[in-house]
Amino acid sequence: MTSSSYGYFDDANKEYVVTTPFTPLPWINYLGNNGFFGLISNTSGGYSFYRDAKFRRITRYRYNNVPMDSGGRYFYINDGGTVWNPGGRPVRTELDHYECRHGMGYSKFIGRKNAVEVEQTTFIPLEDTCEIHRVKVTNQGDSAKTLKLFSSLEWCLWNAEDDGANFQRNFSTGEVEVVDSTIYHKTEYRERRNHYSFFSVNAPLAGFDTDRQHFVGVYNDYSCPKAVMDSACTNSEAHGWSPVAAHQLDVELAPGESKTFVFVMGYVEVDADNKWQAPGIINKAPAADMQAKYDTEAKATAALKTLTDYWDNLLSRFTVKSGDDRLNRALNIWNQYQNMVTFNMSRSASYFESGIGRGMGFRDSNQDTIGFAHMVPSAVRERIVDLAATQQSDGSAYHQYQPLTKKGNADVGGNFNDDPMWLVLAVANYVKESGDTDFLHFVVPFEDTPEVPSTIYHHLKASFYHVVNNLGPHQLPLIGRADWNDCLNLNCFSTEPNESYQTTQRGDSKVAESLMIAGQFVLYGNEFVEIAKLLGMDVDASEAQPHIDAMVASVKQHGWDGEWFLRAYDSQSKPIGSQQNDEGKIFIESQGFCTMAGIGFDDGKAEQALDSVEKHLACEYGVMLQQPAYSDYNPLYGEITSYPPGYKENAGIFCHNNPWIVVAEAMLGRADKALSYYTRITPSFIEHLTERHKTEPYVYSQMISGQDAYIQGEAKNSWLTGTAAWNYYAATQYILGIRPEYNGLRIEPCLDKSLGDVQIVRHFRDAVYHITINQGDGTGKGIASMTIDGKPVAGDLVEYADYAGEHQIEVVLN
Ligand code: GLC
Ligand code: GLC
């Protein structure tokens, strides 16, 4: 347990404990695993949605509001006129004790005031589309108490974008029903919707409200809702305006007595023929079924136990015990947890992503799988199928798709030329992890040729040839609108403030080329060749290889600037990321990708490129994206130059790409540097920077401001970032060096001495390996000897065919 002034890690319970409601920013958690999701802050703010944060928003949230974090599921106590929330907000009554425990799929709030304690535990059970709040109220004093307990949430009218904009309509559509202790939100059910939500509690009500003006008051807010302050709900029925759901319970407690209530907020779909149980009265059977599963404390507690068991089991698939607790905490708990969240959410809904913009990104979602394939391989398989289905037969891909429809987003379209190669990474990583080589033959037609039975293998081949067929004047890959760096827009010349930088493509120069895609092509092109060989497609393999060799030659001939790899050629065929430039002389992406591809290992260029990264890009808070920052907007380069220096893609520390350098350093065998870069951005190692960082100390953020910024080292955009999957991948597969391959598990650590000897438990397909890594006296790179179940084995590969089941593996490093 370490601590900052805002909280501490409780590793035994896999929790982060927040000790004040007034964190520098709201610190959130995610609830839900299978379609029903909730975001919940350390004061119980946030919202819930079903599958799609835009089209099925269930509760309302006001982004970028004052005060911050407006909207949530709030419980209020009115104790003889003293009003407070167990989550410490929105009422600002100072509590005698406050803590919020964010755990794996649940958040628990403990508030205490005047000898009354309320413990609110909120979670989404594994099997149902509902959010459960187990609320336990205890009288810790020595006299009897009569308290009023209120719940409250505000319904969103389903389409989150419309809900925040189309008031001429939506102030008239709201409809509810109240029966016993359940409030039903049936807005638009009369027309085309076959779904509704409800909020219930397993106790008789003293009152309720369903209309916001009655519950909150027109000029009050959630810090002083009128009904709570008045100690009585009004039994209001919403017709239009803003429907809410608020329960009032009168709670009598003897000294020392506790009472527990279970609140359930659920979402149900009803088949179209059975929508009504009487004219105008919704069919409540599906809601009743769901409520019955959680209508006692024991049932709710059992559902919570099932959830925590599920997480214990998931996380046990890969555990590490090194000499540094911060590494163990990152890899055993929080990084894996974040990997699940990024896999589920892509970049759609966080406190920085409004849930109404982007759906699932092609490149983002492919990369997210590499941190998750060892956890739930079947989900990764399904995701890859969805992604591949948005690819075109020429290998290009829709840049995004909407999770509810799974259709490519035509407004954004494609032409981001790095996209296709990420599919190769995702598929190769999945097949190595799972051993599911049959997947390569699985039929998923291309989006534009639905009648052709193309296989996953055909998709990989199309990805490969999309690069080959789109080369520029230096025989380097054309960049399209952008490569991984969405903001380096070399064919989109935007001069109008209302245009999108990335889709305003004016012509296609057929000139702008990317060294990042070049490296990516060599790295994942080699994966494609390996897969072709694995399937016995030797002709494909031997036809592909020369394209890779030629790319390596082009990079060496046209992509080397003297001390590092160039970043790109622009639409005038002038270099970017070169000594010749005044600004943006060196970029991280091409250094990472060309070296990870193994380019320049034979002639010292790889080492030189990484030394240049250290010299020019590395700083205390991480590795910056480029240097020097651009000082002015340049339409030829696009969005990257739109940001003030030091922020986002303009020389910020854009954490996603830092692990590329970690991997490359490990490949070079420089264990100290690999670990140093890894730890600069890893949350558990930088807890002491929380005040400066501001974002949650248990998860990665997308961006940390760089040394050109007005405020340096400040993080933004926490949670939904490819950093999670990539830094996990870098740490487990390259620092610890536990690397799945088609035939088995490769063990090739690059371990800094400070980590000591390391014990690992790795579930791999149906095997369980107990691995001990003993530091040798040398470099920490590669292994000097290996034994399996006490017997010496040559090399560093644990062949799966020979070692299914449970085995003890001991390695000693060089
Ligand atoms: C964002 C995008 C990602 C892109 C990155 C760099 O994180 O989601 O697709 O690669 O920014 O621009
Ligand atoms: C904006 C962001 C960038 C992100 C992109 C995704 O350009 O600055 O980080 O990748 O949007 O569309």
Side-chain angles (χ1 to χ4, degrees):
M1 165 172 139
T2 59
S3 60
S4 76
S5 36
Y6 302 102
Y8 58 92
F9 287 99
D10 177 350
D11 292 346
N13 288 309
K14 303 190 179 78
E15 291 172 337
Y16 188 86
V17 188
V18 190
T19 52
T20 167
F22 301 101
T23 42
L25 289 169
W27 285 356
I28 72 167
N29 192 12
Y30 281 82
L31 312 174
N33 296 313
N34 294 314
F36 191 81
F37 296 107
L39 282 64
I40 188 161
S41 72
N42 59 307
T43 59
S44 200
Y47 60 93
S48 312
F49 61 95
Y50 175 67
R51 288 200 22 204
D52 191 313
K54 177 174 180 178
F55 291 120
R56 285 286 189 288
R57 187 78 64 97
I58 297 172
T59 58
R60 193 174 274 166
Y61 187 77
R62 296 178 183 81
Y63 278 95
N64 198 11
N65 213 303
V66 179
M68 258 195 154
D69 199 18
S70 302
R73 333 78 178 139
Y74 298 131
F75 293 91
Y76 297 87
I77 292 287
N78 187 330
D79 175 8
T82 304
V83 176
W84 54 280
N85 308 105
R89 279 195 63 237
V91 183
R92 260 165 295 180
T93 302
E94 203 182 319
L95 302 185
D96 300 336
H97 175 84
Y98 157 92
E99 72 187 54
C100 160
R101 293 179 164 264
H102 283 319
M104 305 287 108
Y106 67 89
S107 291
K108 188 186 278 189
F109 306 85
I110 301 170
R112 210 178 295 141
K113 182 77 186 171
N114 298 344
V116 175
E117 181 176 280
V118 178
E119 183 189 287
Q120 170 198 339
T121 308
T122 299
F123 66 99
I124 291 175
L126 274 182
E127 286 132 43
D128 276 306
T129 51
C130 63
E131 196 172 276
I132 295 177
H133 311 270
R134 189 185 64 188
V135 178
K136 179 178 175 190
V137 189
T138 305
N139 177 2
Q140 298 181 331
D142 41 24
S143 54
K145 286 245 186 206
T146 303
L147 307 167
K148 312 252 179 213
L149 168 67
F150 298 87
S151 73
S152 93
L153 55 81
E154 192 169 327
W155 301 114
C156 181
L157 307 185
W158 309 119
N159 179 327
E161 189 171 32
D162 221 46
D163 184 70
N166 193 11
F167 306 112
Q168 61 78 27
R169 169 178 161 85
N170 65 34
F171 280 167
S172 293
T173 54
E175 287 191 294
V176 299
E177 282 179 38
V178 183
V179 179
D180 300 329
S181 297
T182 305
I183 295 162
Y184 298 87
H185 162 47
K186 60 171 185 178
T187 303
E188 291 188 348
Y189 190 78
R190 63 168 58 244
E191 27 138 337
R192 297 158 297 174
R193 296 191 181 275
N194 295 333
H195 56 86
Y196 61 81
S197 291
F198 64 85
F199 193 26
S200 67
V201 58
N202 65 343
L205 300 185
F208 64 85
D209 269 306
T210 69
D211 174 53
R212 192 180 75 203
Q213 295 192 13
H214 285 82
F215 181 68
V216 180
V218 182
Y219 294 106
N220 289 38
D221 58 53
Y222 282 99
S223 72
C224 53
K226 193 170 177 315
V228 176
M229 305 317 276
D230 292 351
S231 240
C233 281
T234 67
N235 297 352
S236 60
E237 202 183 301
H239 293 273
W241 297 112
S242 291
V244 299
H247 303 103
Q248 178 188 338
L249 303 181
D250 291 347
V251 186
E252 314 246 329
L253 292 172
E257 192 187 3
S258 295
K259 282 187 181 155
T260 301
F261 305 97
V262 183
F263 293 83
V264 179
M265 193 276 285
Y267 166 90
V268 293
E269 297 187 341
V270 192
D271 68 86
D273 298 336
N274 294 307
K275 276 178 74 167
W276 306 99
Q277 65 190 43
I281 305 296
I282 61 176
N283 176 355
K284 303 191 178 58
D289 288 348
M290 197 184 283
Q291 285 161 23
K293 290 167 77 175
Y294 307 103
D295 60 2
T296 64
E297 180 186 357
K299 290 183 195 174
T301 302
L304 179 61
K305 171 85 167 55
T306 306
L307 178 68
T308 50
D309 286 351
Y310 169 81
W311 270 104
D312 286 347
N313 179 47
L314 260 192
L315 296 178
S316 72
R317 298 190 57 78
F318 196 157
T319 59
V320 182
K321 206 167 149 227
S322 75
D324 193 326
D325 278 345
R326 297 169 299 180
L327 183 76
N328 308 343
R329 174 179 303 142
L331 297 182
N332 296 340
I333 307 172
W334 291 99
N335 198 164
Q336 293 199 67
Y337 186 60
Q338 189 176 1
N339 290 344
M340 161 81 96
V341 172
T342 55
F343 176 84
N344 283 336
M345 298 288 134
S346 194
R347 308 294 170 266
S348 65
S350 72
Y351 270 27
F352 296 85
E353 303 276 10
S354 66
I356 59 176
R358 299 194 256 173
M360 311 295 276
F362 192 88
R363 78 157 81 90
D364 293 331
S365 290
N366 271 306
Q367 291 174 81
D368 289 342
T369 65
I370 68 172
F372 190 58
H374 70 288
M375 295 171 75
V376 191
S378 59
V380 167
R381 185 183 200 275
E382 208 180 307
R383 176 63 45 78
I384 294 174
V385 168
D386 290 347
L387 288 162
T390 67
Q391 191 180 30
Q392 311 294 304
S393 52
D394 71 355
S396 65
Y398 276 106
H399 197 47
Q400 295 164 9
Y401 73 88
Q402 211 55 45
L404 200 68
T405 59
K406 299 193 173 170
K407 292 273 178 265
N409 178 342
D411 295 342
V412 178
N415 207 6
F416 294 78
N417 284 350
D418 63 312
D419 274 337
M421 293 312 288
W422 295 117
L423 185 68
V424 184
L425 165 66
V427 171
N429 185 72
Y430 163 72
V431 176
K432 289 174 185 173
E433 178 68 46
S434 62
D436 179 12
T437 42
D438 288 349
F439 182 56
L440 298 162
H441 298 297
F442 187 73
V443 172
V444 183
F446 289 103
E447 204 262 356
D448 58 336
T449 55
E451 67 295 340
V452 182
S454 313
T455 64
I456 289 289
Y457 175 74
H458 293 133
H459 283 265
L460 304 186
K461 189 169 171 185
S463 291
F464 184 89
Y465 282 98
H466 187 262
V467 176
V468 174
N469 294 332
N470 288 282
L471 299 180
H474 301 95
Q475 295 301 298
L476 293 166
L478 292 171
I479 197 169
R481 287 168 172 169
D483 59 25
W484 171 85
N485 188 337
D486 262 336
C487 298
L488 187 62
N489 313 122
L490 302 183
N491 292 303
C492 310
F493 314 116
S494 180
T495 50
E496 287 293 322
N498 294 326
E499 289 172 346
S500 148
Y501 290 107
Q502 291 157 28
T503 57
T504 305
Q505 188 173 335
R506 298 212 156 85
D508 186 354
S509 64
K510 297 274 181 236
V511 173
E513 298 166 297
S514 162
L515 265 302
M516 191 218 135
I517 303 180
Q520 197 197 16
F521 174 74
V522 173
L523 179 57
Y524 303 136
N526 282 324
E527 295 281 359
F528 169 68
V529 168
E530 200 180 344
I531 287 174
K533 288 182 183 157
L534 188 75
L535 298 185
M537 310 279 198
D538 295 339
V539 177
D540 278 7
S542 54
E543 282 177 6
Q545 191 60 50
H547 294 293
I548 300 173
D549 300 341
M551 189 67 76
V552 173
S554 305
V555 171
K556 289 196 171 180
Q557 197 184 343
H558 301 293
W560 182 251
D561 191 57
E563 291 175 40
W564 55 77
F565 294 101
L566 286 180
R567 175 63 175 89
Y569 284 97
D570 69 12
S571 55
Q572 328 277 303
S573 233
K574 297 215 183 75
I576 294 182
S578 160
Q579 306 271 12
Q580 299 171 40
N581 302 117
D582 296 333
E583 295 174 336
K585 287 171 183 284
I586 172 170
F587 280 69
I588 193 172
E589 300 100 323
S590 44
Q591 317 316 321
F593 261 90
C594 291
T595 52
M596 283 197 294
I599 303 173
F601 275 62
D602 50 351
D603 58 8
K605 287 193 169 66
E607 199 166 333
Q608 207 181 351
L610 295 180
D611 288 345
S612 296
V613 166
E614 183 175 25
K615 184 161 166 210
H616 301 288
L617 298 178
C619 70
E620 181 189 351
Y621 305 114
V623 187
M624 293 175 286
L625 192 147
Q626 102 274 16
Q627 277 292 295
Y630 292 110
S631 43
D632 294 308
Y633 180 57
N634 178 351
L636 289 182
Y637 294 180
E639 184 172 351
I640 189 170
T641 60
S642 75
Y643 291 111
Y647 295 101
K648 294 281 280 180
E649 282 89 339
N650 189 13
I653 297 153
F654 209 94
C655 301
H656 183 144
N657 50 42
N658 281 215
W660 302 343
I661 304 301
V662 175
V663 171
E665 288 288 4
M667 287 172 66
L668 269 188
R670 305 201 291 194
D672 53 338
K673 292 186 199 291
L675 184 68
S676 163
Y677 291 134
Y678 168 76
T679 58
R680 281 180 221 201
I681 60 164
T682 295
S684 51
F685 284 86
I686 52 178
E687 235 192 315
H688 57 284
L689 295 176
T690 299
E691 190 76 46
R692 178 177 285 268
H693 250 251
K694 293 195 168 66
T695 52
E696 294 91 334
Y698 39 90
V699 291
Y700 291 100
S701 296
Q702 181 204 56
M703 196 276 301
I704 299 169
S705 50
Q707 71 189 14
D708 304 277
Y710 180 65
I711 301 170
Q712 298 176 29
E714 188 183 44
K716 285 182 191 144
N717 202 355
S718 55
W719 280 99
L720 303 185
T721 164
T723 316
W726 266 104
N727 229 22
Y728 183 78
Y729 178 87
T732 55
Q733 300 208 18
Y734 287 85
I735 292 179
L736 298 176
I738 309 294
R739 202 149 61 238
E741 294 191 359
Y742 297 105
N743 294 336
L745 206 59
R746 177 86 54 195
I747 304 185
E748 197 190 352
C750 183
L751 267 195
D752 188 66
K753 293 271 180 288
S754 65
L755 297 175
D757 295 343
V758 177
Q759 268 112 43
I760 292 167
V761 180
R762 176 58 154 105
H763 290 242
F764 180 60
R765 304 175 197 171
D766 288 330
V768 185
Y769 299 136
H770 301 265
I771 305 165
T772 305
I773 305 174
N774 296 307
Q775 297 269 7
D777 308 319
T779 58
K781 163 80 178 166
I783 73 177
S785 66
M786 170 160 88
T787 63
I788 303 184
D789 303 324
K791 294 190 199 75
V793 180
D796 54 13
L797 183 70
V798 182
E799 294 258 7
Y800 183 71
D802 299 338
Y803 299 102
E806 198 152 350
H807 297 280
Q808 306 290 330
I809 300 169
E810 266 205 68
V811 303
V812 179
L813 299 185
N814 282 318

